[in-house]
Amino acid sequence: KEDAFPWPLDVYPNKVICFGKDAETLARMLPHQPTQIHDTLAKALRRIPLYSPNDIMLLSPACASFDEFVSFEHRGRFFLDCVSSYEC
């Protein structure tokens, strides 16, 4: 079903950052949630330094990323390389 998430996602996060070919579809599914849309995961991850150190981030894929990566392992390695440079 393309009109709602199966859980109340729009209640919890302050902002949802969507990326890839399904980004606009995901954003439409959260009409009451502030969203940002990016073409790629790399562009979305570049937003991390703009958040406060007290902000809580959940970085979780909601869809397959075959438009950008060949497999979930490829996406995972890319993600790890990107975020490993940030202090936690």
Side-chain angles (χ1 to χ4, degrees), residues 21-42:
K21 72 179 183 79
D22 295 317
E24 290 186 21
T25 300
L26 292 172
R28 282 193 306 273
M29 292 169 67
L30 299 165
H32 304 292
Q33 184 66 44
T35 57
Q36 291 179 356
I37 297 174
H38 300 280
D39 295 337
T40 66
L41 177 57

Side-chain angles (χ1 to χ4, degrees), residues 15-19 23-24 27 33-38 43-44 47 50-51:
K15 185 174 292 178
V16 176
I17 300 175
C18 305
F19 72 94
E24 290 186 21
Q33 184 66 44
T35 57
Q36 291 179 356
I37 297 174
H38 300 280
K43 289 179 182 176
R47 303 291 299 175
L50 302 178
Y51 291 94

